[in-house]
């Protein structure tokens, strides 16, 4: 194996893409094309990286299945960073199987980590957890250990298990120090901020204050009646009433919970739940109907009684009523939440992750752009949306040295 190829691969492993390019920039053989593609990905030129990796995959001979599989894994990671969530998962699964069958366990594990991260972005937490479990806990290079622990932390955070998330992030930080790659360490630091950033707001008795993830987790075992605006449910311990398909009923439940133990006037309920500017007798009649429906839904958890001015909530088997709300509430909060990772998203990827129509997402993005909350670059199918700062670069590409063993 040529010394320049070996040196370039080692430079990439150490997180030095410029050093790698200095050695192979003028070469067009298959290994050099692959290394150049990975270097360009680490430098942030994802479009050029994809072209180089596809050229490398074609340049490898028919007997070099492992090398082609590693190129597929690298392209899959670029797709993940580019938020091309509809990139063909079957190609990645086939590449993963090829790598595993030929004993390249490090890159096979990395392929599994990429798939788990994709599933996590799509909200398919159970599938992501199964994929991670399939990989097992076999010894991996430090860089790969970082990616694994970041996936584990992401799963724990979405399951509101702050202790498990903190342990995974501590392990990721330790592995990042061993890898000695600044970009990996920065990615771990960024993920760790989640545990120290308000994850929700608690509204009770007319006041509100922010909650960290651990505090949100503790609410799961609280005896309080919780109106959860994240999942649109009203719950107390093991009893939950889902109102996700009944937005008017949920709006009424929230208004009553926010005012508890006081009552809420009929005018305020009509304005808040029906978005009516002026009230008349038809609105009052509708309010009586909807309150009756809400009484039926909440019967296991609370009573709703009429007062002189309006209605009041009376919880059962508890003396506390709280509303768990998002840290920032606005019309398109879910879109902003996904864009807050700093990566460029296509509108189609956002639609996949949010389980919404592409047109609905596009309208939301256009509205957010008008208020300067998001920005776009590119045109047509290449158009990407993001919030400041500039998108991050891929940090987990593990192909460099194994790629050369074909």
């Amino acid at each position: 194996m040529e010394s320049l190829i070996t040196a370039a691969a080692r430079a990439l492993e150490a997180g030095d893409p410029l050093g790698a390019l200095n050695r192979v920039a003028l070469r067009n053989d298959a290994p050099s094309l692959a290394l150049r593609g990975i270097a360009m990905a680490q430098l942030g030129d994802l479009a050029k990286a994809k072209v180089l990796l596809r050229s490398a995959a074609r340049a490898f001979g028919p007997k070099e299945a492992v090398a082609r599989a590693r190129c597929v894994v690298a392209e899959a990671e670029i797709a993940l960073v580019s938020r091309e969530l509809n990139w063909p998962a079957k190609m990645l699964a086939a590449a993963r199987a090829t790598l595993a069958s030929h004993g390249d366990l490090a890159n096979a594990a990395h392929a599994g980590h990429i798939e788990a991260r994709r599933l996590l972005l799509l909200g398919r937490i159970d599938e992501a957890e199964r994929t991670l479990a399939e990989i097992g806990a076999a010894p991996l290079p430090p860089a790969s250990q970082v990616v694994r622990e970041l996936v584990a932390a992401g799963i724990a955070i979405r399951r509101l298990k702050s202790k498990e998330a903190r342990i995974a992030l501590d392990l990721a930080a330790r592995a990042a120090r061993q890898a000695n790659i600044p970009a990996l360490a920065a990615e771990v630091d960024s993920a760790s901020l989640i545990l120290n950033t308000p994850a929700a707001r608690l509204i009770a008795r007319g006041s509100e204050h922010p909650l960290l993830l651990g505090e949100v987790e503790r609410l799961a075992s609280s005896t309080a009646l919780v109106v959860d605006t994240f999942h649109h449910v009203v719950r107390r311990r093991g009893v939950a009433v889902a109102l996700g398909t009944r937005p008017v009923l949920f709006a009424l439940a929230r208004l009553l919970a926010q005012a508890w133990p006081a009552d809420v006037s009929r005018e305020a309920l009509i304005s808040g739940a029906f978005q009516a500017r002026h009230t008349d007798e038809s609105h009052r009649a509708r309010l009586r109907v909807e309150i009756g429906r809400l009484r039926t839904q909440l019967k296991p958890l609370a009573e709703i009684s009429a007062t002189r001015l309006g209605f009041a909530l009376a919880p059962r088997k508890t003396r506390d009523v709280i509303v768990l709300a998002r840290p920032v509430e606005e019309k398109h909060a879910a879109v902003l939440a996904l864009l807050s990772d700093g990566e460029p998203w296509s509108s189609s990827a956002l639609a996949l992750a949010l389980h919404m129509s592409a047109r609905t997402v596009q309208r939301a993005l256009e509205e957010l752009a008008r208020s300067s909350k998001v920005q776009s670059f590119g045109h047509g199918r290449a158009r990407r949306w993001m919030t400041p700062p500039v998108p991050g670069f891929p940090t987990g590409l593990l192909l460099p040295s194994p790629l050369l063993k074909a």
Side-chain angles (χ1 to χ4, degrees):
M1 188 176 295
E2 296 184 31
S3 59
L4 282 178
I5 296 291
T6 304
R10 288 175 177 167
L12 283 178
E13 276 193 315
D16 181 15
L18 292 177
L21 286 175
N22 283 338
R23 294 169 172 86
V24 296
L26 300 179
R27 300 177 53 140
N28 289 315
D29 54 285
S32 296
L33 288 171
L35 292 170
R36 285 167 57 194
I38 294 169
M40 295 307 295
Q42 291 186 358
L43 289 170
D45 191 343
L46 304 184
K48 182 64 174 178
K50 283 196 293 186
V51 172
L52 287 167
L53 286 166
R54 288 176 182 175
S55 298
R58 289 193 297 268
F60 281 115
K63 295 182 179 180
E64 298 173 302
V66 175
R68 290 200 304 273
R70 291 168 185 156
C71 290
V72 170
V73 173
E75 189 180 346
E77 183 163 17
I78 291 171
L80 178 71
V81 174
S82 304
R83 296 303 185 256
E84 296 176 12
L85 302 184
N86 55 355
W87 192 85
K90 289 183 179 179
M91 287 179 61
L92 180 59
R96 180 183 171 192
T98 298
L99 293 168
S101 65
H102 286 79
D104 187 357
L105 300 183
N107 278 314
H110 186 52
H113 294 155
I114 292 170
E115 178 59 14
R117 294 177 80 170
R118 174 182 170 274
L119 292 168
L120 206 53
L121 285 173
L122 291 172
R124 291 152 63 176
I125 303 172
D126 291 341
E127 293 177 57
E129 193 169 37
R130 284 196 297 270
T131 300
L132 198 63
E134 289 171 4
I135 299 169
L140 295 171
S144 189
Q145 291 176 25
V146 174
V147 179
R148 176 185 174 80
E149 297 303 335
L150 284 175
V151 176
I155 293 171
I157 287 169
R158 284 159 179 78
R159 294 198 184 284
L160 294 179
K161 296 180 178 179
S162 58
K163 185 177 180 181
E164 292 182 16
R166 195 174 296 280
I167 291 172
L169 289 170
D170 288 344
L171 292 172
R174 189 184 309 163
R177 288 193 294 270
Q178 293 175 353
N180 196 28
I181 300 176
L184 274 180
E187 189 170 349
V188 175
D189 290 341
S190 177
S192 299
L193 289 175
I194 296 175
L195 298 181
N196 300 312
T197 302
R201 287 180 299 134
L202 186 148
I203 305 172
R205 298 179 182 269
S207 64
E208 63 179 72
H209 66 270
L211 295 177
L212 299 180
L213 185 71
E215 296 171 311
V216 176
E217 180 184 6
R218 286 191 286 274
L219 282 180
S221 59
S222 167
T223 59
L225 179 68
V226 180
V227 177
D228 184 345
T229 69
F230 288 84
H231 305 98
H232 291 84
V233 301
V234 182
R235 55 183 167 82
R236 188 193 68 243
R237 286 197 169 177
V239 182
V241 175
L243 297 174
T245 59
R246 310 291 291 275
V248 171
L249 297 191
F250 184 79
L252 290 171
R254 176 174 178 171
L255 290 167
L256 291 168
Q258 287 181 168
W260 183 88
D263 60 353
V264 185
S265 69
R266 291 172 176 80
E267 290 73 18
L269 289 170
I270 290 170
S271 174
F274 305 155
Q275 305 299 312
R277 296 183 180 180
H278 307 287
T279 61
D280 55 29
E281 193 55 39
S282 66
H283 291 115
R284 292 176 179 272
R286 184 185 175 192
L287 178 63
R288 288 192 294 271
V289 171
E290 300 295 355
I291 287 291
R293 290 171 175 163
L294 185 60
R295 278 197 185 103
T296 302
Q297 292 288 324
L298 297 186
K299 191 172 182 180
L301 298 172
E303 289 279 355
I304 300 176
S305 57
T307 66
R308 185 175 62 85
L309 293 176
F311 295 92
L313 191 68
R316 301 178 189 272
K317 300 180 181 179
T318 183
R319 296 182 179 179
D320 293 307
V321 176
I322 61 176
V323 174
L324 186 65
R326 296 181 183 274
V328 177
E329 290 190 281
E330 74 133 62
K331 185 177 179 182
H332 305 299
V335 175
L336 283 175
L338 286 179
L339 291 174
S340 66
D341 66 359
E343 301 288 1
W345 286 73
S346 66
S347 58
S348 59
L350 288 168
L352 276 174
L354 294 170
H355 307 289
M356 297 165 60
S357 73
R359 185 62 193 132
T360 299
V361 170
Q362 190 63 44
R363 284 196 295 266
L365 289 169
E366 290 168 356
E367 190 171 328
L368 289 168
R370 285 194 293 271
S371 58
S372 301
K373 294 178 180 178
V374 302
Q375 60 192 37
S376 66
F377 59 91
H379 300 281
R381 297 181 66 179
R383 193 178 194 186
R384 294 293 182 270
W385 297 85
M386 56 178 285
T387 56
V390 175
F393 304 139
T395 57
L397 291 168
L398 299 180
L399 290 178
S401 58
L403 177 64
L404 310 172
K405 296 179 182 178

